[in-house]
Amino acid sequence: MEQNLMSHSIRTRGLTKVFGPALVVNSIDLDVNTGDIFGFLGPNGAGKTTTIRLLCGLLAPTRGTVEILGLDVNKDSLSHKNLIGLLPENMGFYGWMNASEYLLHFASLYHIEPKEAGQRQMKLLEQVGLADKASAPIAYYSRGMKQRLGLARALINNPKILFLDEPTLGLDPQGQKDIKKILTDLNGERITIFLSSHILGDVASLCNRFAIIDHGTLAVQGTFQEIQKQVHAEKTSGVFVRVQNSPETMKKISEMPLKIIPTQVENSYIDITVTGTSYSANQIIEWFVKADFTILEMRKTGSNLEDIFFALTGNQSHRDTIANKEGINNV
């Protein structure tokens, strides 16, 4: 038991969740080390949010086990809750309260002494940049301000592990930068962070280890270097091409004799990745020119997290995935 406590903050074996006929989480084995900032990635509907709910004890698994700092969540469903903090993707707020009242309310649920609770809520509001708005009713908060308050709420009990589902959602660039700095500082205090996000750049810059799931199944897990080794080069290497968009562009793409993955569609251009081919870059250019595409940009792929993500999860539009987050709850 001591060895497990020292090495892992989160450990699952065969973690499975079935809703009716739907297999949402399929026998996942996760190993999150103490002190990790762990990036948990997958396309819309991959099972990320359900997995987080299982890890936090909000759902009971159909099969398998979850250990949080050595505690079996199925057997110690109450004990482990003092060890974790959770910022869900969609969080409820009491609009008639102000930020201080909101944090003090949740501090009381954790049986934190009033004096200590007062000190914590002031420190947290300062930390997330809401100290000057502490007395304003939450009903008047913007989405970004609510996201900051949600993070403060997740930290009120001084958790050892912090679960975050889209923590920078709704924040402007400065707000995103501020949250990332807060998370880095928290990790410096040896808080383990489990981060789910569709902003792959944030995940790549913040996290030291990653997992990618698709259709409820764990595809890869480890450091970026370890994941690169796990994923065969032919799966991730390819050529990125940005072509001018037109009414005929998608039809032309479907007729190309190459494995093509559209990754972003805009009014003026379409980004695509050509994978699994032995053709050289010059030969690929010839194919596109022969098909009467207008090429705006071209480069080799396979060197970053985004390339690996799209290679493992198939034909997914990053832009559409993020847009869907606004109106669709992940399972």
Side-chain angles (χ1 to χ4, degrees):
M1 177 68 75
E2 184 64 27
Q3 177 63 28
N4 189 48
L5 282 168
M6 292 297 292
S7 59
H8 294 117
S9 285
I10 304 167
R11 188 174 187 267
T12 73
R13 288 297 177 266
L15 184 62
T16 301
K17 185 63 180 179
V18 177
F19 291 107
L23 178 60
V24 178
V25 176
N26 183 15
S27 194
I28 286 180
D29 293 348
L30 285 175
D31 291 293
V32 180
N33 299 326
T34 300
D36 276 348
I37 303 184
F38 191 89
F40 192 54
L41 306 172
N44 233 15
K48 300 186 303 301
T49 297
T50 297
T51 301
I52 289 175
R53 289 171 180 164
L54 290 166
L55 297 179
C56 293
L58 301 177
L59 286 174
T62 305
R63 293 185 298 277
T65 60
V66 179
E67 289 184 1
I68 298 293
L69 292 170
L71 292 175
D72 187 320
V73 172
N74 299 332
K75 297 176 181 177
D76 302 290
S77 58
L78 292 178
S79 300
H80 89 283
K81 285 184 170 58
N82 288 323
L83 302 173
I84 68 171
L86 169 64
L87 174 61
E89 179 189 352
N90 296 304
M91 191 168 188
F93 293 91
Y94 305 122
W96 64 89
M97 289 184 174
N98 62 38
S100 292
E101 292 168 338
Y102 183 77
L103 293 181
L104 289 172
H105 167 68
F106 280 96
S108 69
L109 298 181
Y110 284 103
H111 305 292
I112 300 170
E113 292 295 327
K115 182 178 179 181
E116 174 67 16
Q119 293 171 347
R120 286 191 196 181
Q121 63 90 15
M122 286 191 293
K123 178 183 176 182
L124 287 170
L125 290 175
E126 183 71 35
Q127 194 171 12
V128 301
L130 289 177
D132 60 337
K133 305 291 184 183
S135 299
I138 298 171
Y140 295 101
Y141 275 22
S142 67
R143 182 167 188 166
M145 291 168 67
K146 288 179 179 177
Q147 197 74 351
R148 291 169 182 265
L149 180 58
L151 179 57
R153 147 72 184 91
L155 293 167
I156 193 66
N157 60 317
N158 285 339
K160 300 294 184 183
I161 306 174
L162 186 60
F163 292 92
L164 306 172
D165 197 353
E166 301 293 346
T168 58
L169 187 68
L171 296 178
D172 59 23
Q174 183 59 51
Q176 294 177 24
K177 182 179 178 181
D178 292 344
I179 293 297
K180 287 191 285 186
K181 184 181 185 307
I182 291 169
L183 297 183
T184 301
D185 291 344
L186 289 170
N187 186 245
E189 300 171 10
R190 297 295 290 170
I191 293 178
T192 301
I193 297 173
F194 190 93
L195 169 65
S196 176
S197 176
H198 279 96
I199 304 176
L200 298 182
D202 284 357
V203 176
S205 64
L206 275 171
C207 300
N208 64 304
R209 297 181 69 245
F210 311 87
I212 299 176
I213 66 169
D214 191 26
H215 295 92
T217 301
L218 184 66
V220 288
Q221 177 178 207
T223 65
F224 180 69
Q225 292 74 21
E226 289 169 346
I227 288 175
Q228 280 184 311
K229 292 178 182 178
Q230 291 177 51
V231 179
H232 297 305
E234 61 267 21
K235 289 185 179 178
T236 58
S237 63
V239 176
F240 166 87
V241 185
R242 173 170 289 180
V243 297
Q244 186 172 306
N245 200 356
S246 73
E248 296 297 316
T249 300
M250 291 304 294
K251 183 175 183 295
K252 289 179 183 178
I253 289 174
S254 68
E255 294 173 348
M256 290 283 284
L258 299 167
K259 185 179 179 182
I260 293 178
I261 302 173
T263 58
Q264 184 157 316
V265 179
E266 298 286 354
N267 290 332
S268 59
Y269 65 86
I270 296 178
D271 289 346
I272 58 181
T273 301
V274 182
T275 63
T277 179
S278 59
Y279 292 114
S280 68
N282 286 337
Q283 288 173 313
I284 292 172
I285 289 176
E286 288 179 11
W287 277 108
F288 278 88
V289 171
K290 191 181 297 185
D292 200 27
F293 287 98
T294 300
I295 298 175
L296 305 176
E297 182 184 343
M298 185 174 182
R299 58 178 170 79
K300 290 184 177 180
T301 66
S303 59
N304 59 44
L305 185 62
E306 184 170 299
D307 294 333
I308 291 175
F309 176 87
F310 287 121
L312 290 173
T313 59
N315 188 1
Q316 299 289 338
S317 167
H318 194 195
R319 175 175 177 269
D320 289 347
T321 297
I322 294 172
N324 286 342
K325 294 292 287 181
E326 299 294 331
I328 301 175
N329 281 332
N330 256 4
V331 294

